[in-house]
Amino acid sequence: MSLTALPDWPYPPLIAHRGGGVLAPENTLAGLRAGRAHGYDMAEYDAKLSLDRVPLLMHDDTVDRTTDGTGAAAQKTYAEMAALDAGSWHSPPYAGEPVPALRAVARYTLANGMASNVEIKPCPGREAQTGTLVAQAVRELWREAARAPLLSSFSETALAAAARAAPELPRALLLEAALPHDWLERLRRHGCIALNMNERHITAEIAERVRAAGFRLGAWTVNDPARAALLRDWGVDSLITDRIDLLRP
Ligand code: G3P
Ligand code: MG
């Protein structure tokens, strides 16, 4: 197999999932602080739009699981989202923790020298708009950053829109299942530098193929130290983990 030069990868081998993994409420500033306190200098988190198109952090399409509210995230204004309690579901020490705007997260990561993997997580039907507006926001908010945030998405519509809006930002394609036959074509189509795969579907052979083709490889969500060591041996560039207490940078 002929080797292609790998793109720059200014990111660390360990990345905290959804901010600070399971030690703090996901997609909050408290989560980022937990990651920082455990020595992490990069976090992955999920960005979507409020009804009035403000980029903010939330994983699900509804606010039900991770806040004290109910209903679709896409039907709430930023002011309504910011008034929710996004911490009590996790544990009492985090009661009152707000849903953060992407702007606040940029401030925190820049002030603390943390790198970011902004996963573009559109609500249904808002794929292109979310890709465009999140990429534009990242370009503006992180313009002084030493390391540009890595944009990633399962939505190829969102990735394509992000590539059009801010072509200079690095991108990764997220894959949930086994490596599809057209993986290389899809990475090239969206100008990606990396593939971020569900760790369950990564083998030594896949890691070698992806990296030999000139792409970086990320794995999520890796919570077992023995599995983490194996993936590192296979050449996986970065592991995204919920267990920031077990996998130590
Ligand atoms: O970006 C990797 C990982 O976060 C993708 O899955 O559902 O946790 O956003 P999910
Ligand atoms: Mg995510």
Side-chain angles (χ1 to χ4, degrees), residues 35-124:
R36 193 84 189 114
H38 283 75
Y40 278 68
D41 84 336
M42 183 164 179
E44 180 268 3
Y45 43 83
D46 307 294
K48 55 170 43 59
L49 302 176
S50 62
L51 177 63
D52 46 349
R53 297 190 295 277
V54 178
L56 47 75
L57 267 54
M58 183 155 295
H59 182 277
D60 297 358
D61 293 336
T62 74
V63 304
D64 300 32
R65 180 178 62 86
T66 58
T67 77
D68 61 341
T70 56
Q75 294 304 320
K76 295 193 188 301
T77 62
Y78 170 64
E80 288 169 336
M81 293 289 271
L84 296 173
D85 176 352
S88 286
W89 71 271
H90 181 278
S91 53
Y94 297 107
E97 183 68 29
V99 173
L102 189 61
R103 177 176 298 279
V105 172
R107 288 193 177 124
Y108 180 85
T109 59
L110 286 167
N112 291 281
M114 282 183 85
S116 291
N117 172 194
V118 181
E119 183 189 335
I120 304 170
K121 193 76 118 179
C123 289

Side-chain angles (χ1 to χ4, degrees), residues 120-180:
I120 304 170
K121 193 76 118 179
C123 289
R126 303 185 90 186
E127 289 81 5
Q129 184 183 49
T130 306
T132 300
L133 295 182
V134 169
Q136 286 173 347
V138 168
R139 167 191 270 171
E140 170 63 20
L141 294 169
W142 273 271
R143 62 189 178 282
E144 311 284 345
R147 293 175 289 181
L150 177 68
L151 301 182
S152 62
S153 194
F154 290 108
S155 164
E156 294 190 45
T157 304
L159 268 188
R164 280 192 297 275
E168 76 283 6
L169 294 175
R171 288 176 296 284
L173 174 66
L174 275 166
L175 286 182
E176 170 80 53
L179 197 67

Side-chain angles (χ1 to χ4, degrees), residues 17-30:
H17 186 223
R18 301 188 191 179
V22 293
L23 293 203
E26 66 184 56
N27 289 310
T28 64
L29 289 174

